[in-house]
Amino acid sequence: MNWNWTDLNIAAATPEIVLLTGLFAVLLADLWTSDENRYITHYLSIGVMLSAVLGQLAVWSSEPSYAFSHMYVVDGISQLGKLVAYLGTAVLFVYAKPYNQMRGIFKGEFYTLAMFALVGVSVMISSAHFLTAYVGLELLSLSLYAMIALRRDSAQAAEAALKYFVLGALASGILLYGISMVYGATGSLNFAEIANASELQNVNGWLLKLGVLFIVAAVAFKFGAVPFHMWVPDVYQGAPTSVAAFIGSVPKIAATVFTFRIMVDGLVYQKFDWQLMFAALAVASLLVGNLAAMMQTNIKRMFAFSTISHMGFILLGFLASVLGVQAALFYAITYILMSLAGFGVLMLLSREGHECENVADLAGLNQRNAWYALLMLLVLFSMAGIPPLMGFYAKFAILKALMTAEYAWVTALAVYAVVMSLIGAFYYLRVVKVMYFDEATDHTPIAEQPMAWVLSLNALLLLVWGVLPTSVLEWVKTAIERTF
């Protein structure tokens, strides 16, 4: 492929260039930073995140543009997705500092691996070609494998990393196999050209259908949808809470936009085929996720199974029209806010020698610190979809989109989703009951942390944007309009 400077359009990748430059600066600075001065790496990493945000805002465009010979796209959905990812990672760094210090993992590797993963997220979000999408996915996945095993003295973390690595490698192979079939059927790996070939019916229909099947399986693995969910609870439980918080938040926006790129941009004329598969995945994820979460005593595993059910809701959004894609993106942003706040409370309540990871560890939290109990209550009520919190409006947006779908069976799934939400509310309310009505078994004072201010703002946004969701919905709506 012959490139010239006009085709490259490097300015479109300004956020990624800023992020990579800052990443290398952090990597070099950390080499000469002692453990006592590791806070330099911490604050420098947060500065890199904010610089990436400014880099994205500096090249903000209302019209889609392409780079690297149409292999890279910058449009409304990519710009919003990157902003959410950068800001979410900056918030995570704030939450993780005291937790990592107590666990002996307050090291530069945590920050550099997270930023390498974020580069992969950015590439996935802006991919307009299967090759760039795959490169971004692998960069994200390889970084996560190493982050999970960051606690070298933990056999549980090593086991979780190995499980994720083996299953992730299998999913990557399945994705590559599907991509090869799509290429054989259409003669292209560019999403726009694949869609154009399908429209002109210049494709091998059966080979393309088989390729779609394999690609959907790989996408389901990244979402953690049933039956490709085996890695989720083990990784959430085995990984350090700071790493589990990252896995359970930022990659979700990448998975949502990644799915949009492949399915809506590239395989739009095979929509009926992949929508049927998405419906089956969503139904199974809502059922298994909610029922399994009810039986968990480990709150990190409970969050893992609840994540599976939430991903089912996002998959339901892709069954509707443009309104459904808008609702899915809004749900992904909402879930990132909820997940960051939920894991933030767990990190805040953990201390040296004690890991807050069981539901029983939250017993009597209201007696020990009423404010932290309130923050956790807001998170749990939002995840359960109780009004007027943001999680309720996210689920309502999905249900509203399903009611406008062209197929009656899609509309019927809205009733099923409501029933599953009612079942799911049980295990969230059980934790609330433990916090407010059970006697505290641990009377150790909860240390005050500066991160509590950021955590408070994070949780309160779930209430504010639940009562006044119009602003976030407008951002999402504008992003979608600037994409199509």
Side-chain angles (χ1 to χ4, degrees):
M1 181 179 292
N2 294 320
W3 276 345
N4 56 50
W5 288 107
T6 306
D7 289 332
L8 289 178
N9 189 19
I10 293 178
T14 297
E16 289 79 3
I17 294 172
V18 171
L19 182 58
L20 271 175
T21 305
L23 166 59
F24 292 135
V26 171
L27 195 60
L28 291 173
D30 188 69
L31 290 175
W32 287 278
T33 302
S34 63
D35 288 341
E36 293 76 17
N37 297 322
R38 196 68 66 191
Y39 66 89
I40 295 174
T41 302
H42 170 74
Y43 290 114
L44 188 58
S45 299
I46 294 177
V48 172
M49 292 298 97
L50 298 180
S51 298
V53 170
L54 293 177
Q56 179 61 78
L57 294 175
V59 294
W60 197 273
S61 174
S62 58
E63 296 295 329
S65 62
Y66 291 87
F68 309 111
S69 295
H70 280 246
M71 296 181 72
Y72 203 79
V73 62
V74 178
D75 51 18
I77 196 171
S78 70
Q79 293 173 137
L80 179 61
K82 290 176 193 177
L83 278 182
V84 172
Y86 299 154
L87 290 172
T89 305
V91 170
L92 173 71
F93 287 167
V94 174
Y95 293 170
K97 179 176 178 285
Y99 177 88
N100 288 349
Q101 285 176 321
M102 291 183 290
R103 297 297 178 278
I105 54 175
F106 186 52
K107 300 182 182 297
E109 289 91 336
F110 175 81
Y111 297 96
T112 52
L113 286 170
M115 284 189 278
F116 270 122
L118 199 57
V119 174
V121 166
S122 298
V123 173
M124 287 173 65
I125 286 174
S126 281
S127 59
H129 193 279
F130 268 117
L131 287 182
T132 49
Y134 183 75
V135 168
L137 176 63
E138 285 304 292
L139 183 54
L140 169 63
S141 299
L142 291 171
S143 302
L144 292 182
Y145 302 150
M147 287 184 74
I148 294 167
L150 207 54
R151 289 192 67 179
R152 298 171 188 172
D153 60 338
S154 172
Q156 194 176 39
E159 180 186 353
L162 186 59
K163 285 181 180 178
Y164 191 28
F165 172 74
V166 172
L167 293 173
L170 179 62
S172 296
I174 290 173
L175 177 62
L176 277 178
Y177 197 43
I179 290 172
S180 68
M181 290 182 179
V182 170
Y183 180 74
T186 64
S188 177
L189 293 176
N190 183 280
F191 297 150
E193 292 177 4
I194 291 171
N196 186 54
S198 298
E199 183 182 17
L200 298 175
Q201 297 184 346
N202 188 25
V203 297
N204 184 322
W206 284 106
L207 186 60
L208 185 57
K209 286 178 183 291
L210 197 57
V212 170
L213 175 64
F214 280 94
I215 290 172
V216 168
V219 167
F221 176 86
K222 295 314 299 179
F223 271 113
V226 176
F228 306 97
H229 66 293
M230 300 79 70
W231 62 273
V232 181
D234 291 333
V235 166
Y236 274 50
Q237 183 180 8
T241 304
S242 55
V243 176
F246 183 77
I247 296 172
S249 56
V250 175
K252 303 309 178 189
I253 192 74
T256 303
V257 181
F258 180 72
T259 303
F260 170 83
R261 296 291 182 209
I262 295 176
M263 300 303 174
V264 179
D265 280 355
L267 301 172
V268 62
Y269 292 100
Q270 288 71 44
K271 183 171 67 172
F272 184 75
D273 296 329
W274 58 256
Q275 279 188 339
L276 282 176
M277 288 183 276
F278 272 22
L281 292 170
V283 167
S285 298
L286 286 167
L287 180 64
V288 174
N290 284 314
L291 293 181
M294 293 171 64
M295 297 181 285
Q296 304 305 314
T297 57
N298 184 293
I299 195 166
K300 288 167 69 175
R301 289 186 72 88
M302 191 197 84
F303 277 160
F305 282 109
S306 76
T307 296
I308 294 168
S309 67
H310 286 294
M311 294 307 103
F313 261 98
I314 292 178
L315 290 174
L316 285 177
F318 285 95
L319 303 184
S321 57
V322 176
L323 189 62
V325 176
Q326 177 181 319
L329 184 58
F330 178 72
Y331 201 107
I333 295 172
T334 301
Y335 185 76
I336 289 174
L337 280 173
M338 296 188 299
S339 184
L340 283 173
F343 280 108
V345 173
L346 296 184
M347 285 187 273
L348 187 65
L349 297 179
S350 297
R351 62 180 186 275
E352 192 169 357
H354 172 73
E355 188 82 24
C356 181
E357 61 177 2
N358 294 313
V359 174
D361 293 330
L362 297 174
L365 180 58
N366 185 55
Q367 302 164 25
R368 299 173 62 199
N369 192 306
W371 179 247
Y372 295 159
L374 176 63
L375 297 182
M376 194 61 163
L377 179 141
L378 291 175
V379 172
L380 294 170
F381 275 15
S382 184
M383 286 186 171
I386 296 175
L389 291 154
M390 197 176 178
F392 163 76
Y393 206 89
K395 291 186 177 182
F396 178 75
I398 294 288
L399 297 174
K400 183 180 178 182
L402 290 176
M403 297 303 292
T404 63
E406 56 182 310
Y407 301 114
W409 61 269
V410 174
T411 304
L413 288 177
V415 179
Y416 175 80
V418 171
V419 174
M420 290 297 106
S421 293
L422 293 175
I423 294 174
F426 168 80
Y427 53 85
Y428 294 120
L429 295 177
R430 181 186 63 180
V431 179
V432 173
K433 174 259 182 188
V434 169
M435 291 194 303
Y436 279 87
F437 299 105
D438 285 11
E439 287 295 325
T441 56
D442 184 359
H443 298 281
T444 306
I446 301 173
E448 293 293 332
Q449 299 285 354
M451 62 166 279
W453 292 98
V454 181
L455 179 60
S456 300
L457 177 61
N458 187 170
L460 290 174
L461 278 177
L462 296 174
L463 178 61
V464 174
W465 280 342
V467 176
L468 303 169
T470 310
S471 57
V472 184
L473 279 172
E474 282 300 317
W475 296 339
V476 173
K477 182 180 178 182
T478 302
I480 296 296
E481 288 174 348
R482 291 177 177 176
T483 300
F484 286 103

